Amino acid sequence: ETMKTQIITLEKDDITLTLCGAIHIGSELYYKKLNDTACLSDVVVYEMVKSPNKSSKRLYDLIAKLIGLQEQSYYLNEKYVNADIHVDVLNIISKRKYVSEQDDLFELLEKDEQIKNMFKTLFSFVMYNAWFMKLLHMLFMKNDHVVINMRNYIVVAEILKQLETKKSISVIYGQGHLKHLEEQFVKCGFMKTKVGYLDNLEGVKVN
């Protein structure tokens, strides 16, 4: 079983909000479909933690290459607007040091071939077995719900700003963020009119 992310359409009067769930590692076709879907809107609000040394990006890129996939990508044309937190603030509210953790893992994978091969096997198993990924999410991500919600408020603020001039807005954010985002706009009178799914390994042969 592969991992599927949601495309949730919310509507109110003549306003359409499309929540596009994403995962950090997937196939090239998956990210093309994700971006193509989001670009149907007037503006695309997207996730990317602001970090001077881009620790997250280089770590995900290394992991993706290890297992023959690619790191999350955006078209980043004139429609795209970043709505995310700075990594220094993320460290404050999360009680974790994301940059140092990611840097340490990156250096470990770069320097030790044996550990790299071990992680390659582990990451491959996780990516190609959605049930295991969901289990990890339940066990560990529940403790990060504050981080998810706080970042979501930045997204909500950006959406409200865009609504001053735009009638259709898409959001590309981690799948784990969608439930809380949806709840905020349902409280404002938006109705869920459609739910679709994208396969993060679309176009990849799964053994």
Side-chain angles (χ1 to χ4, degrees), residues 13 46 108 132 187 193:
D13 300 327
Y46 72 97
L108 190 63
F132 189 73
K187 289 176 184 176
T193 58

Side-chain angles (χ1 to χ4, degrees), residues 47 49 84-85 147-155 177:
E47 167 189 31
V49 173
D84 212 332
I85 203 166
V147 173
I148 289 176
N149 292 357
M150 293 290 258
R151 290 169 68 197
N152 281 355
Y153 294 135
I154 298 174
V155 179
H177 290 258

